[in-house]
Amino acid sequence: MAVGIVGGTHAALLRAMRARLEVDGRTGRRTGSPSRRQAGFYRWVERTLPAGRLVALTLRQVARTRRLRGVGLHGLALVIVWYGAALGGVFGDVARSLFLIGLFGLGPTLGLGFIVFGISAGHADGLFARPHAPRRIVKATLVLLWLGILPGTLLLPAFLPWLSPAQSSLLLGFALWWSGIVVPALVYVAPRLRKPVDTSASAFTISVRTLHGIAVYPLWFAPMIAAAVADAAGVWWTAGAVLGGAGLIGLLALPWTTGMLARQLASHRHAMLAGFRENEPV
């Protein structure tokens, strides 16, 4: 058994190290290029989603950047672990379960949302150097962050059999709040964070301590506060209507807010690029 474990570990390490080596393009497929399945997925994104080419561009950058890839996987892990804990506790304490859903349902979106415009200095330079209208860049960013909350949103119906209709209304409120309020707020804040991502650093080194970043946190905490208030006062329908109504208004206002977000992105573009170059890791 010991020989088998050591031999298997040795083979796995050799395979992992071989994958990390740079391979000459004349002798083999270059390490880091997308597989056939990945290339097919990116083509589907480009053809199907709004502003698909820019969405696929950013997805590729996230996939090849260690730090952002870690943020995405960490967000998905939080959704799976804490949704599992919420589903296990829904039989005893419904409010606690809804509290966990409201806090962790955003998944990768919260981590990626602050820095999605400035993944790295080179990425930002290329994004603004090409003839992409700021409105199109904003639209692609909104779509990318909506994809980040999709796993948490799709898992919400798993809780419906154990909730009353009034309690279920809060789940709908969560989904609308995340989509219509939190995602546009993150897109609004992102151009003001002007430090590029260190592509070789760990995901756990990402932190947002600026005033603009901290200002988004109350929007993130609103769903769990609504769950606590609804349980204490018995106002499930009201809490769900407040969250859901605000989120629905935010979604319906997107044709106007997208233009506003594009204008503020354009006005911050030069300061963003200057900040990325100044703070770029050497």
Side-chain angles (χ1 to χ4, degrees):
M1 184 181 297
V3 171
I5 293 174
V6 172
T9 304
H10 180 71
L13 288 174
L14 284 179
R15 186 178 182 87
M17 287 188 291
R18 188 178 297 115
R20 301 288 294 180
L21 294 176
E22 291 293 334
V23 180
D24 192 298
R26 293 170 297 178
T27 59
R29 184 176 63 85
R30 187 171 180 83
T31 300
S33 61
S35 65
R36 184 177 303 176
R37 183 178 301 177
Q38 291 172 331
F41 170 73
Y42 291 134
R43 284 195 299 270
W44 177 85
V45 169
E46 291 177 358
R47 297 170 182 172
T48 308
L49 300 180
R53 293 186 63 185
L54 291 182
V55 176
L57 175 69
T58 308
L59 282 174
R60 287 190 183 97
Q61 186 69 15
V62 171
R64 66 169 62 106
T65 302
R66 175 189 176 190
R67 199 175 185 188
L68 298 184
R69 188 170 61 246
V71 169
L73 294 175
H74 184 242
L76 288 175
L78 286 178
V79 171
I80 294 171
V81 170
W82 290 107
Y83 269 45
L87 190 59
V90 75
F91 303 100
D93 192 346
V94 172
R96 178 179 175 274
S97 296
L98 293 176
F99 183 94
L100 294 176
I101 296 170
L103 181 61
F104 295 106
L106 280 172
T109 290
L110 192 69
L112 295 176
F114 291 108
I115 51 180
V116 73
F117 285 127
I119 291 175
S120 65
H123 176 77
D125 282 336
L127 188 65
F128 289 114
R130 294 180 175 89
H132 299 306
R135 189 181 184 95
R136 188 170 180 82
I137 297 174
V138 166
K139 185 183 296 185
T141 306
L142 289 169
V143 172
L144 180 73
L145 297 185
W146 282 328
L147 290 177
I149 63 174
L150 189 61
T153 303
L154 291 178
L155 289 174
L156 291 179
F159 296 86
L160 295 180
W162 293 277
L163 300 177
S164 67
Q167 294 166 340
S168 300
S169 69
L170 197 57
L171 295 183
L172 178 60
F174 287 169
L176 291 173
W177 178 265
W178 295 333
S179 300
I181 300 297
V182 178
V183 167
L186 290 172
V187 176
Y188 178 80
V189 167
R192 292 168 168 78
L193 304 176
R194 296 163 184 163
K195 187 172 182 179
V197 173
D198 183 356
T199 56
S200 63
S202 168
F204 297 100
T205 61
I206 289 181
S207 61
V208 180
R209 298 189 180 94
T210 67
L211 183 60
H212 292 97
I214 295 172
V216 177
Y217 287 166
L219 301 179
W220 177 33
F221 293 141
M224 64 179 188
I225 295 173
V229 171
D231 179 63
V235 289
W236 294 101
W237 285 112
T238 302
V242 170
L243 284 182
L248 185 59
I249 292 172
L251 289 174
L252 294 176
L254 278 176
W256 295 273
T257 56
T258 302
M260 180 270 292
L261 293 172
R263 287 190 295 273
Q264 71 103 21
L265 174 63
S267 66
H268 285 83
R269 179 178 61 184
H270 297 294
M272 285 170 58
L273 295 177
F276 294 153
R277 295 189 186 100
E278 180 181 351
N279 297 303
E280 186 177 12
V282 177

